[in-house]
Amino acid sequence: MKTLTLGKTGLVVTKPAMGCLPVQRCDKNYAVKLLQAAYDGGIRYFDTANAYTDSEEKIGLALSGVRDQIVLSTKSAARDRETVLKHIELSRERMKTDYIDLFQFHQVPEVPDPNDPNGAYAAALEAKERGWIRHIGVTTHRVNVAEDCIASGLFETLQFPFSYISNDRDLALAEKCKAAGMGYIAMKGLAGGMLTNVRACHAFMKQYDNVVPIWGIQRPEELEEWIEAAREDPDLDEELLAVIRKDRAELADD
């Protein structure tokens, strides 16, 4: 499994990684087996969120025994210091870990105010000082907010929707992050399920040496497809480029 370093964080993550929102829809035993199968298949980076019901708990049950071998990131959509700290404590408890590698502000509508002593950013700084989290990132679905977050210099990573039907402004975020020394985490790499060619998606992401895709995985056959694509590691040949051109023509839209 190939790896990359997530910007200036120094965190070495596998490419691909596993997005753990879907495991909240699985029963506990099934989810534990799926997460362990992902680890056994070589995946070492798992991304979740406080809001994904029992996803964090399932990660703790499945992977606490290999905690020192994996990178964990989670998120909170809270906007105040007290709630963010509570969410971080709860995430640590659920995932059975003393620390979270990467804490992310979830779906921010604007750049969090770093000067508000009762705000979310103050909470993250406090959690970092306490050793509860190691790095601070941000997620958003708004490109103008993403650009502002990059320019702010407050964050070590950005998580944003990123696929081969993304528009040029969205795609440019990868280079902006690279220039800023930020890690780039690609969510919704299947464009909400509109893209179905795993090899084309993998080959597209392969072009970006600073982008780690987190694929939402719910079934063993999905997991095997991504692991097999990572093993094969296809390049963007003419066959796959034709798939991408066709999908862009049919699906790409501002």
Side-chain angles (χ1 to χ4, degrees):
M1 193 74 69
K2 288 190 173 181
T3 62
L4 63 83
T5 301
L6 205 54
K8 293 178 181 178
T9 68
L11 295 172
V12 177
V13 297
T14 49
K15 184 175 182 175
M18 183 170 175
C20 297
L21 182 153
V23 303
Q24 68 182 325
R25 299 191 285 264
C26 308
D27 71 48
K28 191 172 294 185
N29 290 336
Y30 181 103
V32 166
K33 289 179 181 177
L34 182 66
L35 288 160
Q36 290 176 339
Y39 176 84
D40 291 341
I43 292 175
R44 295 292 184 271
Y45 177 32
F46 299 84
D47 179 82
T48 186
N50 170 274
Y52 300 165
T53 61
D54 63 355
S55 173
E56 291 180 325
E57 179 185 353
K58 289 166 177 171
I59 289 171
L61 290 170
L63 301 173
S64 60
V66 292
R67 177 65 185 95
D68 61 337
Q69 301 298 313
I70 61 176
V71 172
L72 293 177
S73 61
T74 192
K75 319 175 191 78
S76 170
R79 305 293 182 238
D80 65 281
R81 174 184 169 277
E82 183 179 356
T83 308
V84 168
L85 287 172
K86 285 181 179 178
H87 284 179
I88 291 172
E89 284 190 270
L90 184 58
S91 293
R92 292 165 64 235
E93 178 184 329
R94 286 170 168 172
M95 292 194 289
K96 302 181 186 297
T97 180
D98 292 334
Y99 66 94
I100 294 160
D101 295 290
L102 173 63
F103 170 78
Q104 301 160 96
F105 297 104
H106 200 187
Q107 297 184 10
V108 297
E110 59 188 2
V111 179
D113 183 355
N115 298 313
D116 180 359
N118 297 311
Y121 198 84
L125 291 178
E126 182 176 337
K128 191 172 183 180
E129 289 176 2
R130 294 185 185 185
W132 292 359
I133 66 174
R134 294 192 170 174
H135 303 282
I136 301 171
V138 66
T139 87
T140 185
H141 287 74
R142 304 179 187 183
V143 65
N144 61 310
V145 176
E147 290 167 344
D148 289 345
C149 287
I150 295 169
S152 74
L154 295 172
F155 308 102
E156 297 171 270
T157 63
L158 171 70
Q159 186 171 151
F160 192 81
F162 189 79
S163 72
Y164 64 68
I165 63 168
S166 296
N167 63 39
D168 289 344
R169 186 177 176 186
D170 289 352
L171 292 174
L173 292 174
E175 188 56 40
K176 289 179 184 292
C177 280
K178 190 172 188 177
M182 290 174 63
Y184 192 106
I185 303 164
M187 60 171 155
K188 294 181 171 61
L190 296 176
M194 291 193 292
L195 308 181
T196 58
N197 191 308
V198 167
R199 296 178 73 252
C201 291
H202 175 95
F204 168 77
M205 295 291 182
K206 184 179 178 180
Q207 300 175 101
Y208 298 89
D209 62 3
N210 66 316
V211 175
V212 56
I214 51 170
W215 305 112
I217 297 170
Q218 185 172 332
R219 291 182 287 272
E221 55 268 29
E222 295 169 353
L223 173 62
E224 186 52 42
E225 280 191 275
W226 291 117
I227 291 174
E228 180 56 35
R231 289 172 182 153
E232 181 192 352
D233 198 24
D235 293 317
L236 266 183
D237 57 19
E238 188 53 41
E239 176 188 354
L240 295 180
L241 283 170
V243 170
I244 290 175
R245 284 194 292 265
K246 180 176 182 294
D247 284 344
R248 286 188 62 84
E250 294 178 358
L251 301 170
D253 192 316
D254 289 341

